[in-house]
Amino acid sequence: EFRLFIRSLNYELESGALLLARTVSPHLDIGACCSALDEIAARCRELIAEPSTTREKCRVVNRVLFHEWSFHGNVEHYTDPLNSLLDRVLERRSGIPISLSIIYLLVAERLELELEPVGVPGHFLVGCYTEGEPFFIDPFDGGLFRDADEVFDLLRTRQIEPKISDLAPTPVREVLARACRNLAHHYAAAGDEPHARLFASFVDEFDSTYERNMQA
């Protein structure tokens, strides 16, 4: 099912993240996952006072996700593969930068906020490009707001020389391929070779499908 999604070239973040999770949990309750996201968004809607800027609305999302719902970065067990699976992140309320960013984006979409995934080297953020200077939200760090210079400073602390292109939105295809790449590495680290090979094959599928489409 997920391979068919990859080959379809019709990439939508919520469907892709749920189908990816179903490769590990075939009986995953998609309705329950969507309801959980709906509930979080409904709580945000209750607290948003209009008119509000996108930044002000993101502060509300931060309050609900990271304080009321207690979503947080799983620092102690970062390479646990469950940190990358949407249903388990919703259930355990912990994840890694990319999975927490996906949760943030899916809630934001329900609130009609124009936010984008931003896969910087070695980290993952949520970006807003609609209000003058872009700003970035770090769901792994409790929703911390960063401007472009602060993102560059973060990369430099990790011995990465930043480029302006690092701040560009990341296509959904690349978000999901990166999630699969993480899972391949994390399952390999856990000694689960069958799952490691499965997710590595999904990365190859994304790459080969993209190449075929570019040549068409």
Side-chain angles (χ1 to χ4, degrees):
E1 201 173 17
F2 188 55
R3 286 190 197 283
L4 289 174
F5 171 83
I6 295 171
R7 294 168 186 166
S8 75
L9 296 170
N10 185 22
Y11 300 142
E12 190 267 327
L13 187 58
E14 186 163 337
S15 299
L18 287 166
L19 287 172
L20 185 154
R22 275 181 66 172
T23 64
V24 176
S25 303
H27 303 296
L28 178 154
D29 188 339
I30 286 180
C33 292
C34 294
S35 294
L37 293 165
D38 291 343
E39 185 181 354
I40 296 167
R43 175 59 179 156
C44 293
R45 213 172 279 114
E46 285 177 6
L47 298 176
I48 291 172
E50 295 289 6
S52 293
T53 65
T54 302
R55 184 186 286 265
E56 289 165 343
K57 291 176 181 176
C58 288
R59 288 198 184 99
V60 172
V61 176
N62 284 354
R63 170 182 163 177
V64 173
L65 276 178
F66 306 118
H67 297 284
E68 295 189 9
W69 257 258
S70 300
F71 280 88
H72 60 280
N74 193 340
V75 178
E76 293 182 359
H77 304 287
Y78 190 90
T79 61
D80 182 345
L82 300 184
N83 289 328
S84 294
L85 303 171
L86 185 65
D87 58 322
R88 304 308 296 272
V89 177
L90 285 167
E91 176 188 323
R92 306 193 315 169
R93 301 187 183 182
S94 69
I96 56 176
I98 188 170
S99 59
L100 292 172
S101 294
I102 289 172
I103 297 284
Y104 203 106
L105 288 161
L106 298 183
V107 171
E109 185 176 7
R110 285 162 166 76
L111 300 170
E112 299 181 353
L113 298 180
E114 292 186 53
L115 302 179
E116 301 286 348
V118 184
V120 299
H123 201 49
F124 213 96
L125 303 167
V126 171
C128 177
Y129 303 86
T130 60
E131 296 192 346
E133 290 292 317
F135 66 87
F136 304 88
I137 301 155
D138 191 340
F140 191 72
D141 198 2
L144 181 70
F145 286 87
R146 302 183 194 271
D147 62 22
D149 287 338
E150 289 167 331
V151 175
F152 284 165
D153 288 342
L154 173 69
L155 294 179
R156 290 189 186 101
T157 65
R158 300 177 178 203
Q159 283 69 57
I160 297 167
E161 188 54 41
K163 306 185 297 293
I164 193 67
S165 58
D166 293 335
L167 301 179
T170 301
V172 170
R173 171 185 62 81
E174 291 182 23
V175 175
L176 295 172
R178 185 161 166 173
C180 290
R181 195 174 293 109
N182 287 339
L183 279 160
H185 292 319
H186 294 168
Y187 273 119
D192 185 340
E193 285 303 323
H195 274 115
R197 287 194 298 271
L198 175 67
F199 284 99
S201 75
F202 290 149
V203 175
D204 292 341
E205 192 85 52
F206 272 113
D207 290 345
S208 60
T209 299
Y210 180 70
E211 288 169 10
R212 283 197 303 273
N213 183 56
M214 292 300 289
Q215 293 167 0

